[in-house]
Amino acid sequence: MKRHFCNRVIGLAAGTVVFGAISACGGAGGGLDVADGGIRGTGSSVGPVSGFGSVFVNGVEFSTDDIPNREVESNDGITAEGLLSEGMILRVEGEWFDDGEGTAEKLSYDDTLRGPVDLVTADPSGAGEFVTLSVMGQSVRVDRQTVVRGTTYATLLGEPSITDHVRVSAWRQADGSYRAGYIEVINPDLTSIELEGTLSAVDISQNQFTIGTITVEYDENSVSFGSDLTEANLINGAVLEVEGTLSGSVVTAATIDRDDARRFSRSSADDIEFTAIIDASYAPSGAGTLPGEFTMGGLTVRVTDATELDDSITLDELTEGLLIQVEGQFVSDTVVEAEEIELRDGNAKVRGVVSSSADNSFLVGGVEVRISSTTAFTVEDGSGISFQTLPIGSTTVEVEGIEKEQGADVFIEALKVEVDDEIADFDDRDLYELEGKLTSITPSTITVLGVSIDAGPAVYDSNTQSEIIDRFDDGELLILEVEYSRNGNNFIADEIDLEESDDD
């Protein structure tokens, strides 16, 4: 069955991104622009853990040497750096520098959800690119970019009746569902449940409320309220977090706290860099010198004339559901003035056997893949691997990243490189798949991601060759999914599909 590459950033569809870094104890270095090494920010950095040796978050290597026992502040059993995993969304308080290094003073982690899975629903398109889990009634999207531990993505696809308990670290979306950066199957423990969501049916006189399908009960004399909360904050529509014991569909709360948006709260210093999902799309301000604003992580992000946009993103792409990284300064407790905005959702992919590698780059099906301090390497079963041990010529890898141009060079800046857990069959080692922007087309060839591929009329699937040529000549941006093969020094298309033709 054809494997579709979906969840386009350019199409602004959802798709969880897993970030990674090249570990100081096994990965390749480089990737960040190095300036004079001066302090770039002092405050909080919030994003997925991306590597170890120190702790990598948002492309910065934070030294944890100054933290006693490398302790992590958490009540979820993640009490030390060694218990963290790639994909977990971590808050680091400290300072970071222009050379891509930083010093951590405090690490904080909190699960988003922890408890039993009610239901698994596969990608309705049949492409198998994502799975939706219901965890105690909360919808969690898991896709091929989510870090999965304790099971595999393929297992989740194949077990629609799974009832495992899971630990989830995720971003809340505007519609109240979640995108998982990390999910792990854990041992069941009904006495250690964590549930987050929107309150309804609040009845303080009965000491209860509802989150999704779960009734929450509490003893006002023994429950612990966090983050300056009181019982008066229990109102319909509030988004809160509950930890306690689950019996049937009732949680008896031990603690009630604000939801995970508190991870983005202002610290004693004003600088912040954070990765989150846009809650409300960018809108021009129409006044003064401020180009506009959008919201993410419960904060208003103010874009000014001085805000630097990464070359992979434009203002009109700052729409609801997009995962980005913002660096800036708090100008109030709820407003951040952005200094830099970077894309953190992949918009290009390639799959196949690696043919060669060089310093911080490798080739798959003629596509150049460049790695940096935000590249994660993992094996399909969730185990780790480094750039140095990346298999050449034998095992299939799938790359998710951002399409970039540098002069005449077109390449993927990798966010995640996942290696299959089995060696590819010999007959499959010259078969490839890619997805990227069409940059050239003739009646006999196409060029995508810098690769020229022989392509006659017969290999076009949902759209005819002449239609695609006409639309390209009219200046339309076209994203192609291509299955192709190598024949000697040439690449030959086996099937071409326009990305918009996917059913999902």
Side-chain angles (χ1 to χ4, degrees):
M1 181 178 69
K2 178 179 177 179
R3 290 187 58 192
H4 291 275
F5 286 137
C6 67
N7 309 331
R8 299 290 312 166
V9 166
I10 292 175
L12 302 177
T16 305
V17 173
V18 175
F19 300 118
I22 309 308
S23 169
C25 53
L32 284 178
D33 292 332
V34 177
D36 60 6
I39 293 178
R40 196 173 81 219
T42 300
S44 56
S45 181
V46 187
V49 174
S50 50
F52 297 99
S54 296
V55 173
F56 288 77
V57 174
N58 293 328
V60 176
E61 179 186 4
F62 286 96
S63 169
T64 56
D65 291 344
D66 293 340
I67 300 177
N69 301 316
R70 290 181 167 81
E71 179 183 8
V72 176
E73 182 180 275
S74 172
N75 60 0
D76 298 331
I78 309 298
T79 56
E81 177 188 328
L83 298 175
L84 293 168
S85 176
E86 291 90 344
M88 288 182 170
I89 301 169
L90 185 71
R91 178 182 170 106
V92 181
E93 294 183 33
E95 58 184 12
W96 53 97
F97 307 93
D98 281 325
D99 61 3
E101 297 185 351
T103 301
E105 298 173 357
K106 181 180 178 182
L107 307 177
S108 304
Y109 173 77
D110 186 41
D111 288 336
T112 306
L113 300 164
R114 190 175 60 255
V117 176
D118 311 317
L119 180 68
V120 179
T121 305
D123 175 359
S125 74
E129 291 296 333
F130 67 91
V131 176
T132 302
L133 305 187
S134 174
V135 181
M136 297 176 290
Q138 300 301 300
S139 177
V140 179
R141 181 182 176 115
V142 179
D143 66 21
R144 295 184 182 277
Q145 293 177 267
T146 304
V147 174
V148 179
R149 303 295 193 205
T151 184
T152 66
Y153 181 78
T155 299
L156 292 176
L157 276 177
E159 293 192 16
S161 60
I162 187 172
T163 57
D164 287 327
H165 282 224
V166 294
R167 177 194 301 274
V168 179
S169 185
W171 294 275
R172 181 179 170 85
Q173 303 187 109
D175 64 359
S177 65
Y178 294 88
R179 288 174 61 179
Y182 176 85
I183 186 167
E184 176 189 7
V185 172
I186 59 176
N187 292 328
D189 185 354
L190 294 175
T191 67
S192 180
I193 296 298
E194 184 158 346
L195 175 64
E196 178 182 303
T198 304
L199 274 59
S200 63
V202 176
D203 188 344
I204 292 178
S205 67
Q206 297 296 316
N207 294 346
Q208 68 179 30
F209 54 87
T210 297
I211 296 180
T213 60
I214 301 295
T215 298
V216 179
E217 298 178 346
Y218 63 94
D219 183 336
E220 60 186 297
N221 296 314
S222 61
V223 69
S224 175
F225 286 94
S227 303
D228 300 322
L229 288 178
T230 68
E231 193 176 37
N233 297 109
L234 303 180
I235 59 175
N236 291 322
V239 181
L240 298 177
E241 168 193 290
V242 174
E243 295 190 67
T245 300
L246 177 66
S247 177
S249 61
V250 177
V251 167
T252 301
T255 66
I256 300 175
D257 205 346
R258 300 190 188 278
D259 74 316
D260 279 347
R262 70 184 189 275
R263 59 168 73 117
F264 304 116
S265 61
R266 190 177 191 175
S267 67
S268 58
D270 286 337
D271 294 324
I272 184 171
E273 54 178 11
F274 67 119
T275 297
I277 291 171
I278 295 177
D279 302 316
S281 302
Y282 168 83
S285 65
T289 60
L290 303 181
E293 296 177 340
F294 59 95
T295 65
M296 58 186 279
L299 299 173
T300 296
V301 178
R302 182 176 297 165
V303 182
T304 74
D305 293 331
T307 301
E308 179 183 347
L309 295 179
D310 180 78
D311 59 6
S312 300
I313 196 168
T314 60
L315 286 175
D316 61 1
E317 290 177 325
L318 297 175
T319 60
E320 180 183 318
L322 188 69
L323 188 68
I324 62 172
Q325 179 180 321
V326 171
E327 184 169 2
Q329 286 193 327
F330 281 97
V331 295
S332 75
D333 288 345
T334 60
V335 178
V336 172
E337 192 168 279
E339 297 171 0
E340 185 175 358
I341 299 174
E342 297 182 61
L343 183 62
R344 285 294 179 258
D345 251 334
N347 62 9
K349 305 183 184 183
V350 65
R351 177 177 172 83
V353 170
V354 177
S355 59
S356 64
S357 66
D359 290 341
N360 296 336
S361 68
F362 57 92
L363 291 178
V364 177
V367 177
E368 181 183 3
V369 178
R370 297 187 185 180
I371 65 172
S372 72
S373 57
T374 53
T375 305
F377 286 89
T378 186
V379 180
E380 185 179 18
D381 61 8
S383 58
I385 195 169
S386 70
F387 175 66
Q388 284 85 350
T389 56
L390 191 68
I392 308 296
S394 62
T395 306
T396 299
V397 303
E398 184 169 320
V399 177
E400 318 245 356
I402 300 170
E403 180 175 352
K404 292 198 170 185
E405 297 181 19
Q406 193 173 82
D409 296 333
V410 179
F411 57 93
I412 294 179
E413 184 174 273
L415 295 172
K416 181 186 177 186
V417 178
E418 182 173 270
V419 180
D420 282 3
D421 52 12
E422 295 182 359
I423 294 176
D425 292 339
F426 186 80
D427 293 340
D428 294 336
R429 296 183 185 181
D430 286 326
L431 302 179
Y432 307 96
E433 303 170 36
L434 63 72
E435 180 180 317
K437 179 174 62 178
L438 177 65
T439 55
S440 175
I441 185 169
T442 73
S444 59
T445 64
I446 58 170
T447 301
V448 181
L449 295 177
V451 182
S452 178
I453 303 172
D454 295 342
V459 299
Y460 289 81
D461 185 16
S462 302
N463 304 82
T464 65
Q465 182 189 64
S466 59
E467 177 188 353
I468 291 179
I469 289 176
D470 288 344
R471 292 173 63 174
F472 180 80
D473 288 344
D474 287 341
E476 189 173 343
L477 174 64
L478 302 177
I479 306 300
L480 297 187
E481 299 174 351
V482 184
E483 295 184 3
Y484 61 112
S485 56
R486 179 194 294 271
N487 185 358
N489 293 323
N490 296 326
F491 294 108
I492 302 172
D494 300 314
E495 185 174 324
I496 298 173
D497 194 21
L498 194 60
E499 192 277 337
E500 68 178 12
S501 298
D502 285 348
D503 295 334
D504 59 329

